[in-house]
Amino acid sequence: DAASARAQMGALAAAALLREAGIEPILQLTCRDRNRIALQGDLLGAAALGIRNLLVLRGDPPEAGDQPDARAVFDLTSDELAATARMIRDEGRLPHGRAVAGKADFLIGGADTPVEPAPGWTPARLHQKRAAGIEFVQTQFAMDAGLVRRYLARLADEGLVPALRFLIGIAP
């Protein structure tokens, strides 16, 4: 969804094209560029198109991209977006109470960066994301298998594994 704060094909359109081609997409939605009304519309559109995998993200700041004068929205946090997707899926309603028709069979994901777990480190942010409704984690690139094992072991100690599923990012 405009990765690195650069204009690209819209994520919902790309996900729809992938699904049409028989590929199961993970729709990335960032809070940077759209307010809650637009994000809720994208969630409803995803459900109508049969797109079920969501990765909810804050989004890179515009200053990081090729149009640094663009204005960020950040009307919702990624946790609030995850909670909205969960509410649509589980309760059939939007946060303000309006019922929605149809079914949203969302699998909701969030992002994290594998870190070397220092003594006393706790994954507080992942606990918050899980409480908001994420069910899987897609990580940033992690090229050190030992670090990933130690990171996942600490998450297991915290009860986040196997409660959450993990897609570990690697670069060929």
Side-chain angles (χ1 to χ4, degrees):
D1 192 13
S4 301
R6 298 174 187 272
Q8 300 164 16
M9 177 190 295
L12 186 56
L17 290 171
L18 288 169
R19 188 169 188 287
E20 189 175 292
I23 299 167
E24 182 82 15
I26 298 175
L27 172 62
Q28 295 187 5
L29 291 174
T30 65
C31 299
R32 176 194 54 234
D33 301 319
R34 293 180 300 285
N35 69 14
R36 68 189 66 209
I37 297 168
L39 288 166
Q40 290 167 12
D42 284 348
L43 289 170
L44 297 175
L49 291 167
I51 297 166
R52 64 179 302 256
N53 303 306
L54 307 174
L55 182 65
V56 297
L57 304 162
R58 179 180 189 279
D60 298 317
E63 300 81 35
D66 56 3
Q67 299 180 63
D69 293 336
R71 292 189 179 154
V73 177
F74 296 121
D75 186 28
L76 295 178
T77 66
S78 59
D79 289 352
E80 291 168 326
L81 182 55
T84 298
R86 184 181 65 190
M87 186 176 295
I88 291 169
R89 180 193 66 200
D90 296 347
E91 301 174 28
R93 67 177 181 88
L94 296 172
H96 65 283
R98 190 178 92 211
V100 296
K103 182 163 175 53
D105 191 25
F106 294 141
L107 180 65
I108 306 163
D112 198 36
T113 301
V115 297
E116 186 67 58
W121 175 82
T122 61
R125 188 69 189 101
L126 269 184
H127 282 296
Q128 290 173 333
K129 290 179 182 191
R130 181 175 178 220
I134 71 160
E135 301 158 292
F136 75 92
V137 174
Q138 186 170 314
T139 74
Q140 299 294 339
F141 290 144
M143 304 308 290
D144 182 336
L147 180 142
V148 171
R149 280 192 292 277
R150 293 185 297 277
Y151 163 77
L152 290 173
R154 179 64 65 84
L155 296 182
D157 292 344
E158 291 279 330
L160 292 169
V161 175
L164 297 173
R165 302 297 186 209
F166 287 80
L167 295 172
I168 306 297
I170 58 171

